[in-house]
Amino acid sequence: MDPTSSGQDSSEGATAFLLNARGITKSFGVTRVLRGMDFAVAAGEVHAFLGGNGAGKSTLLKIVAGILDADGGTLRYKGFDVDDAAGRMARDQSLAVVHQELAVIPHLSIAENIALPRYRHGSSLFNRAAAQRAAVDALSLIDKDFAAQSTDRLVATLSLHERQMMEIARALHSGAEILLLDEPTTNLTGQEAERLFTVLRRLVADARIGVVFVSHRMQEIRQVADVCTIIRDGQSAVHRQPVQSLSDAEIIDMMGQSIAAHDALAAAPAPSGAPSLDLRVSAEALSISGLGPEVAVGPGQILGLAGAPAGPQALIDQLIGEKRRAGIEIIHGGRPRIDRTPHEAVTRGVGFVSGDRANRGILSTLPIIDNMVASRRIAERRRLVRADEAREAAGLLAALRIKARSVWDLPSTLSGGTQQKLIIARWLNLRPQMLVLEEPTRGVDVGTKRDIYTLIRAMAEAGTTIVWWSTEQTELLELCDRILAFAPDGRATALLDRASLDEEALAAATGLAA
Amino acid sequence: MDRAPETAASAPARTGALRHIVSSYRSEIAIALAIVVLELALGIFVPNALTMGNFSDIAQATAPLIIMAIGVLLVVMTGGIDLSVGSVFSLVGMVTGLVMDSGFSSTIATICGLVVGVVFGAINGFLVTFVGLAPFVVTLITYAVAGSLAFIVTNGHSLPINDQGYWLLNGGHIIPGMPNFVLFCIILLIVVEFLLRRVVFGRWIYAVGSSPGAARLLGIPVHLVRFSVYVISGLLAAFASVLTVSYISNAEGTAGAAMMLQAIAAVVIGGASLFGGTGSAIGALLGALMITVIQNGVNLIGVNSFWQGSVTGLVILIAVLIDRVSKARR
Amino acid sequence: MAYFMSLRRLLAAATAVACVAVTAGTLAPAARATDKKMTVAYVAPSLDISYWQWVAYGVQTEAAKLGMNYVGMTSENSPGTQMNNIHTALVRGVNAIVIGPVSSSSTPPVLRLLAQRHVPIAFTGIGPQPGQTDYTSAVTANNYETGKAEGTFVCNLAKALGGNKVGMLSLPQDRENAQKYLKGAKESFAADGCDLVQVLQTHGLTVNEAVQEANDLLTGHPDIKAIYGMYDEAATGAVKALQTRGLIGKIGVATADGSPETIKELRQGEIQGLFLQEAVGQGIDATQQVYNALTGKPVTKDIPLAEPLVTKETIDSPQAQATIKRVYPPSAGAF
């Protein structure tokens, strides 16, 4: 077959789209997820792809990436239909994807992870020196310091945020003409995100590549995207409109999920205000020393942790009994808190919601009910599965407004954001003494964010001390009673009180852009 | 992950329970049907296959395998594997026979045998859980050690059991009309199925296999769960062994050699994933039954024994494919 | 977690130390230096069946009687391991070898090597490949003749019980002795007018498996009147199956080999005939032959031992008792 004639897209005329999806439909069982979705990406643009949870965004991205097959519609890459061999070849050669769930191979080195995907044949010899050069070149695109380190390190030893950088670097350096970035900035600091945007703009301008950019952060959408497509109920509510022509409110409105509250933060309940307790003498207060600033938080208060992962991670690990770090001392309820295992911590009243939902949050082969009541069973030392657990779980689902067909379904039938609500809800009504949250709003849409804020607030009001790490400084500023800020090297730099909370102070203390 | 068919439902607690039971036993139902079809097809060629006598033979032949497979199932469900069960089976038989041969009562001999199983289970559990070695490697080691100890304890001789009453353990009737080996299998099935569905510890077994990281952070005592399943697996392999010794009045050093792979195959046929997190006791039982039914059928039809492995392999493939198909349509 | 990591390391180290100690303790006696006595090595094909251990017992006792040292090895049913064992034995400086080969066809390279080194070798149980001559002696059972004799016996058993249909529980048919037994038995059945309705082969040589096979045999062919067992466990399994069905005495059983169990069953009338294979005797005779070769005495090249029939009536005769003592060692059980 001659791809230039039969497969060529003639209807588009002069506007050659790198990627052109028309009328895509896709159903799972009886559920129609995509109902004739249009999506086109031209060369030389950053294209924001927006949509609420459950709108069909991930499904379309998977179809575009070739992970799923569409039921109907046409999909063309550089004009070649994907039903033909030429179209599939165009896709394989021109598309690079950074998935939300990172696709890295932990047991291989950085260099191997970056270079391996370029080998098309298993029989090729692996050139280690070339791989290392490629890795350094790729990493230099977004972080010179990272590139200067050894590329022989195993990916398993990297932090989540380093893995994210590596994966982005791999995609940027792959020579792809279409870059598909699914929430690439979630694990990045402000500076790194800034560098990423610079590289993207340069690649778009110089190499005329097309970038699809998925994000929930309005600020960065404005910052980097030229046009946007908004998906709603499996169709394009907005197709290829310049971002400048739409207001934030219009965009949020069209995402369709939060009609009542345009701004999640505005709808969230306000902080409880300063409790009248004297923290130093309160029997239930949590105090942390050895980090620099002395921290004390009372029951019902929210302590925010801000900054790059190193510092908050170490503190969280110790709070939940995962790993102890020399120098940090925690006094809780008047006594030193030493939990040697997460089991000990949980039975002694510490709840935890991990930021790594796929690996450390959801129990994927167990039904929703087990996922919801898992913590209850341990905290209340239940021996038998109780008959009323189904009602308990259904009640929680209703309270959270989670739409599940049944509590016996697997969590994979829920969208990512809903799963997140689910694992936070494990602790609802349980009134743990302390609840530790690791980026609970990462990768969820605005509507779900609002729900999560409400949950957190409600749990604080029930008397739980909340420790909350987030890389989104705005939410910390809005909801926390005090914020402990960490520098990128893991040092705690400042403890900001409600009175002194503002973006500049936080930015200064964390070394990150607001 | 937006492929959420989040259609509204008013009372998800109640509506799902029955559907859940049907759907969660989907692969078990499929295997049960496959066994029935297989047995009926066999009856066309060999009418005697469908007699009570033959069913009783099959039940007797499969009982030890069922007991062993349920133990292996629990280990597999946590994402581990127990390769040592066959060797433990052999060793326990020899120890039981030896203790009885030395003049002790059959009760003491049986207890000694069970203790040996528990000890090997505990060694497996200790090395996997607290030393942190890979289950495959650990149980490969105990497989080798127990297998050689089975020869060492009696210098390789097989031991006849002279206690005339010992067969009652297997063949007696605690409940009139039901031989003990059937009773034991039923009790074990009910207990383990109850453990897995209704006891929190059972749910922990699923959770540990599903996501060890999440289970740990939830505060589930992952080490305790892992350790326990290996001990249970050792105990059940030992129990299967004393039952067999009671049945054939004989202890042999190679008695369990073929059983390890059969037990693992039974667990897999029964719908459990070797990656952990799924499986049921009834599935393991049906898997074991399937294997025995195939052997019985091949013998009855008179297929040359050289072909037996191929036939077994093909039928396992079919069973797994049925499971695959029944799970894909959801 | 730091606390736990160190605990794990500690436990790993402790386990390792314990393992080293146990291994050293086990191996120390075997590693003791040997004196100037002559040494005979016995290379068994495998040790998972009692038969080869009983041969080993014969070699060991005869070696002690002749003032020789004894070394035992096992080939795990692998010709490669068998060859390695021979090399190891030569390195250890053994003077003679008694072998139960993995198979006849695995013997030529062994014989070639030993002929070069002028080390005498005697076969037990399984003989060398036909056409090979470079060996000292082959002490074997005459499986073909035994097969014929047992075939006739089983056929008569069936006729006496009112039928002519018989079933067989066979050793795996990839073994030469199994093929010879079957050939002999089939010839007898044909000559005597019996119908061999089914041959089931074992895999694991366990009683448990034989019970299942006997059950399947009886379900598939309820009209058989006698069962031909090719090895002890087969007969014990058949007896077990007959017991549960209340068919003892209504269906006859005979087998080759002989073990404490089958002799007990013979005495109890559950087995009607036993063709004794002198495992211990093969070891004794083979050792005697290599000793003769080393000391310059005359050797007998081929010693095909008959497998004599014993029944409930003849088992306590002095002759039969003397033969049983050449079947298994006293430690295996009563005679």
Side-chain angles (χ1 to χ4, degrees):
Chain A
M1 189 204 319
D2 177 14
T4 51
S5 58
S6 65
Q8 192 68 274
D9 192 341
S10 52
S11 60
E12 293 298 334
T15 328
F17 286 120
L18 288 172
L19 163 67
N20 193 359
R22 294 281 166 207
I24 300 289
T25 58
K26 179 75 185 173
S27 299
F28 294 105
V30 292
T31 315
R32 291 175 64 199
V33 177
L34 296 179
R35 311 157 183 252
M37 176 72 194
D38 294 335
F39 186 56
V41 180
E45 71 179 13
V46 176
H47 189 141
F49 181 44
L50 313 172
N53 286 328
K57 200 172 50 188
S58 294
T59 306
L60 184 76
L61 291 176
K62 281 182 182 162
I63 288 171
V64 167
I67 298 166
L68 287 175
D69 284 329
D71 294 341
T74 58
L75 182 56
R76 290 167 188 277
Y77 296 88
K78 297 162 76 179
F80 301 116
D81 196 306
V82 79
D83 287 339
D84 303 326
R88 284 191 295 275
M89 197 198 263
R91 178 184 71 203
D92 294 344
Q93 288 174 352
S94 61
L95 183 72
V97 187
V98 174
H99 294 283
Q100 207 178 336
E101 266 108 32
L102 301 180
V104 297
I105 303 160
H107 293 97
L108 295 183
S109 70
I110 298 173
E112 286 166 321
N113 262 281
I114 289 178
L116 208 53
R118 301 183 187 184
Y119 289 87
R120 300 260 167 218
H121 305 287
S123 55
S124 318
L125 289 177
F126 188 81
N127 185 336
R128 200 161 154 269
Q132 277 172 339
R133 275 196 304 277
V136 172
D137 289 351
L139 291 173
S140 310
L141 284 174
I142 68 173
D143 190 341
K144 290 262 189 314
D145 292 339
F146 192 13
Q149 296 177 19
S150 166
T151 55
D152 282 335
R153 285 165 70 201
L154 290 188
V155 167
T157 65
L158 301 184
S159 68
L160 199 55
H161 126 274
E162 286 172 312
R163 292 181 194 198
Q164 177 95 53
M165 298 245 286
M166 190 195 81
E167 178 137 354
I168 293 170
R170 175 164 78 187
L172 291 178
H173 196 252
S174 64
E177 291 165 82
I178 314 166
L179 268 183
L180 213 157
L181 308 175
D182 193 358
E183 303 201 33
T185 57
T186 41
N187 296 313
L188 299 189
T189 65
Q191 286 175 350
E192 288 156 357
E194 200 52 58
R195 277 198 294 267
L196 170 65
F197 298 153
T198 313
V199 178
L200 285 182
R201 280 189 287 261
R202 200 182 67 223
L203 285 172
V204 165
D206 299 351
R208 304 286 300 161
I209 69 167
V211 176
V212 179
F213 190 84
V214 180
S215 175
H216 288 298
R217 297 180 184 176
M218 203 55 69
Q219 198 184 349
E220 63 188 32
I221 293 168
R222 292 241 171 261
Q223 206 178 344
V224 74
D226 306 312
V227 294
C228 73
T229 293
I230 300 177
I231 183 169
R232 180 177 179 175
D233 293 331
Q235 285 168 317
S236 37
V238 165
H239 188 225
R240 294 191 56 76
Q241 275 204 33
V243 175
Q244 263 60 38
S245 67
L246 297 165
S247 71
D248 284 6
E250 280 170 322
I251 292 175
I252 291 168
D253 191 32
M254 270 181 292
M255 279 162 66
Q257 285 248 327
S258 45
I259 297 138
H262 291 179
D263 187 350
L265 290 167
S272 56
S276 53
L277 295 162
D278 181 352
L279 294 170
R280 253 157 291 258
V281 295
S282 164
E284 292 170 45
L286 165 73
S287 63
I288 303 165
S289 57
L291 282 168
E294 296 288 312
V295 186
V297 206
Q301 291 200 318
I302 301 177
L303 171 68
L305 306 179
Q313 201 70 64
L315 177 58
I316 286 174
D317 281 348
Q318 179 154 351
L319 283 172
I320 62 167
E322 177 78 355
K323 202 185 283 174
R324 283 172 67 193
R325 203 179 79 170
I328 305 182
E329 257 182 87
I330 297 168
I331 310 283
H332 192 206
R335 273 167 303 161
R337 165 140 230 147
I338 302 166
D339 297 317
R340 282 171 303 184
T341 61
H343 176 67
E344 249 179 60
V346 171
T347 48
R348 290 163 63 184
V350 180
F352 176 54
V353 173
S354 168
D356 186 359
R357 187 171 63 228
N359 294 315
R360 315 213 306 168
I362 282 284
L363 301 167
S364 56
T365 63
L366 266 70
I368 292 169
I369 175 168
D370 282 294
N371 272 285
M372 299 198 83
V373 298
S375 317
R376 266 149 237 274
R377 288 174 179 160
I378 290 162
E380 296 178 4
R381 293 167 202 270
R382 295 183 193 171
R383 295 275 175 268
L384 294 180
V385 172
R386 296 206 317 223
D388 60 359
E389 281 179 355
R391 221 172 325 119
E392 193 177 10
L396 283 172
L397 288 182
L400 296 172
R401 291 180 292 119
I402 295 177
K403 286 170 282 171
R405 212 155 41 126
S406 146
V407 296
W408 299 106
D409 281 350
L410 290 179
S412 55
T413 59
L414 303 175
S415 69
T418 313
Q419 290 182 18
Q420 188 69 33
K421 283 205 282 187
L422 196 83
I423 61 175
I424 297 172
R426 280 174 180 163
W427 304 101
L428 194 63
N429 300 343
L430 254 184
R431 301 193 191 175
Q433 288 176 17
M434 192 198 314
L435 180 65
V436 182
L437 303 165
E438 209 177 76
E439 296 228 63
T441 58
R442 176 201 294 163
V444 303
D445 67 41
V446 186
T448 309
K449 267 184 189 163
R450 184 199 53 205
D451 293 343
I452 290 175
Y453 298 148
T454 312
L455 271 177
I456 293 172
R457 200 65 250 170
M459 281 192 268
E461 269 157 16
T464 298
T465 305
I466 310 260
V467 179
W468 174 9
W469 172 42
S470 172
T471 47
E472 278 195 50
Q473 305 192 344
T474 40
E475 62 183 26
L476 289 182
L477 289 168
E478 287 295 329
L479 280 143
C480 294
D481 293 298
R482 51 194 62 189
I483 296 178
L484 184 58
F486 292 84
D489 63 1
R491 273 178 311 115
T493 45
L495 179 67
L496 305 170
D497 260 315
R498 192 97 218 116
S500 56
L501 283 180
D502 65 57
E503 289 194 23
E504 285 76 42
L506 199 51
T510 58
L512 306 179
Chain B
M1 293 294 284
D2 289 342
R3 72 175 177 88
E6 288 171 38
T7 47
S10 49
R14 209 155 283 283
T15 55
L18 184 70
R19 197 170 53 85
H20 158 65
I21 289 170
V22 175
S23 76
S24 67
Y25 285 112
R26 197 192 298 260
S27 39
E28 286 82 352
I29 294 168
I31 301 157
L33 287 175
I35 292 174
V36 170
V37 169
L38 212 62
E39 202 57 33
L40 289 177
L42 181 62
I44 296 171
F45 296 104
V46 187
N48 276 349
L50 301 181
T51 56
M52 273 319 288
N54 193 42
F55 292 152
S56 156
D57 288 348
I58 292 176
Q60 174 71 73
T62 198
L65 185 60
I66 288 173
I67 294 168
M68 184 186 275
I70 287 179
V72 174
L73 168 81
L74 298 181
V75 174
V76 165
M77 281 177 56
T78 64
I81 189 90
D82 191 348
L83 303 177
S84 70
V85 283
S87 294
V88 168
F89 182 96
S90 304
L91 175 61
V92 166
M94 298 311 275
V95 168
T96 309
L98 195 65
V99 173
M100 238 183 277
D101 212 42
S102 318
F104 292 95
S105 77
S106 54
T107 316
I108 292 179
T110 307
I111 291 171
C112 286
L114 296 180
V115 166
V116 169
V118 169
V119 165
F120 267 87
I123 293 172
N124 284 335
F126 171 78
L127 291 174
V128 168
T129 308
F130 299 107
V131 184
L133 303 179
F136 192 96
V137 177
V138 168
T139 57
L140 195 64
I141 292 165
T142 44
Y143 154 81
V145 171
S148 92
L149 282 179
F151 292 120
I152 291 170
V153 287
T154 64
N155 233 331
H157 301 310
S158 62
L159 287 171
I161 303 299
N162 294 314
D163 184 336
Q164 293 302 319
Y166 195 51
W167 69 274
L168 284 169
L169 173 65
N170 172 73
H173 293 72
I174 296 174
I175 294 177
M178 181 186 283
N180 287 348
F181 61 86
V182 176
L183 179 70
F184 291 144
C185 286
I186 292 175
I187 291 177
L188 188 66
L189 176 73
I190 293 171
V191 167
V192 174
E193 204 60 34
F194 182 80
L195 171 81
L196 289 177
R197 305 271 152 201
R198 311 291 305 173
V199 181
V200 168
F201 186 84
R203 306 311 287 169
W204 286 354
I205 294 178
Y206 282 101
V208 167
S210 178
S211 171
R216 209 181 117 70
L217 293 174
L218 272 167
I220 292 173
V222 175
H223 289 321
L224 177 71
V225 172
R226 285 221 172 106
F227 182 76
S228 308
V229 293
Y230 284 97
V231 172
I232 296 172
S233 177
L235 174 67
L236 289 182
F239 186 62
S241 177
V242 292
L243 215 55
T244 307
V245 169
S246 155
Y247 170 44
I248 59 173
S249 307
N250 195 309
E252 302 167 283
T254 54
M259 289 187 73
M260 173 256 284
L261 278 179
Q262 286 184 351
I264 294 172
V267 166
V268 173
I269 294 173
S273 156
L274 286 178
F275 298 109
T278 59
S280 73
I282 186 131
L285 180 140
L286 290 168
L289 197 57
M290 171 78 108
I291 290 173
T292 316
V293 162
I294 295 166
Q295 279 174 352
N296 174 258
V298 167
N299 281 344
L300 289 187
I301 294 176
V303 178
N304 185 322
S305 320
F306 290 162
W307 284 95
Q308 225 175 65
S310 304
V311 173
T312 311
L314 277 178
V315 176
I316 292 175
L317 177 64
I318 293 167
V320 177
L321 289 177
I322 290 173
D323 184 42
R324 187 76 198 238
V325 171
S326 74
K327 278 195 180 135
R329 289 196 311 168
R330 31 186 298 155
Chain C
M1 213 41 216
Y3 144 85
F4 208 83
M5 292 290 276
S6 62
L7 179 66
R8 274 198 171 180
R9 218 168 284 162
L10 194 72
L11 289 173
T15 314
V17 169
C19 290
V20 169
V22 170
T23 316
T26 319
L27 296 182
R32 252 178 239 140
T34 49
D35 45 40
K36 277 176 289 180
K37 285 199 284 184
M38 285 194 292
T39 302
V40 59
Y42 169 58
V43 182
S46 70
L47 287 179
D48 51 0
I49 24 178
S50 324
Y51 186 86
W52 298 113
Q53 298 182 47
W54 298 346
V55 174
Y57 171 80
V59 176
Q60 209 169 355
T61 47
E62 187 65 11
K65 219 166 92 186
L66 297 170
M68 297 172 87
N69 285 317
Y70 167 84
V71 179
M73 296 170 161
T74 171
S75 306
E76 317 276 1
N77 290 321
S78 145
T81 311
Q82 175 173 288
M83 204 61 199
N84 294 342
N85 282 339
I86 301 287
H87 279 291
T88 311
L90 292 176
V91 170
R92 285 185 66 156
V94 305
N95 307 88
I97 285 175
V98 173
I99 189 172
V102 170
S103 64
S104 295
S105 53
S106 71
T107 57
V110 173
L111 293 178
R112 214 174 302 134
L113 175 67
L114 293 178
Q116 281 170 9
R117 307 290 185 92
H118 305 290
V119 172
I121 176 170
F123 288 86
T124 57
I126 298 169
Q129 173 119 319
Q132 298 284 317
T133 54
D134 274 338
Y135 60 94
T136 310
S137 180
V139 187
T140 50
N142 195 331
N143 302 126
Y144 169 70
E145 287 299 335
T146 307
K148 269 175 81 166
E150 192 182 338
T152 304
F153 183 84
V154 167
C155 185
N156 289 339
L157 215 50
K159 283 177 180 165
L161 292 165
N164 73 337
K165 292 211 162 69
V166 295
M168 182 186 280
L169 298 180
S170 166
L171 289 166
Q173 277 293 324
D174 54 346
R175 301 190 179 191
E176 293 153 54
N177 53 348
Q179 292 163 3
K180 286 181 186 162
Y181 275 133
L182 181 60
K183 185 165 179 285
K186 273 185 171 166
E187 285 175 17
S188 286
F189 290 145
D192 302 341
C194 272
D195 184 9
L196 176 60
V197 291
Q198 192 168 17
V199 179
L200 286 176
Q201 299 168 44
T202 183
H203 300 284
L205 295 161
T206 65
V207 176
N208 201 16
E209 196 185 345
V211 178
Q212 286 178 40
E213 299 204 317
N215 270 326
D216 293 344
L217 185 63
L218 292 166
T219 301
H221 303 277
D223 50 351
I224 57 167
K225 288 294 169 199
I227 296 176
Y228 181 117
M230 214 178 265
Y231 56 106
D232 287 313
E233 288 80 1
T236 305
V239 166
K240 199 77 222 168
L242 292 179
Q243 259 172 3
T244 18
R245 290 163 183 253
L247 290 172
I248 294 283
K250 293 178 186 142
I251 293 180
V253 180
T255 188
D257 292 358
S259 71
E261 278 111 304
T262 45
I263 282 177
K264 191 174 119 200
E265 286 154 357
L266 187 77
R267 287 184 195 280
Q268 290 170 352
E270 293 156 343
I271 291 178
Q272 283 70 36
L274 203 51
F275 290 78
L276 296 174
Q277 181 163 211
E278 300 173 15
V280 174
Q282 288 179 356
I284 292 174
D285 294 354
T287 312
Q288 182 67 56
Q289 292 302 317
V290 290
Y291 182 77
N292 287 355
L294 287 172
T295 51
K297 291 181 189 137
V299 293
T300 315
K301 192 118 188 157
D302 289 292
I303 309 180
L305 296 174
E307 295 184 44
L309 167 70
V310 291
T311 61
K312 192 178 177 183
E313 288 70 34
T314 62
I315 182 77
D316 286 316
S317 69
Q319 208 185 340
Q321 281 295 310
T323 311
I324 299 174
K325 295 215 165 54
R326 280 169 58 86
V327 174
Y328 52 83
S331 66
F335 292 111

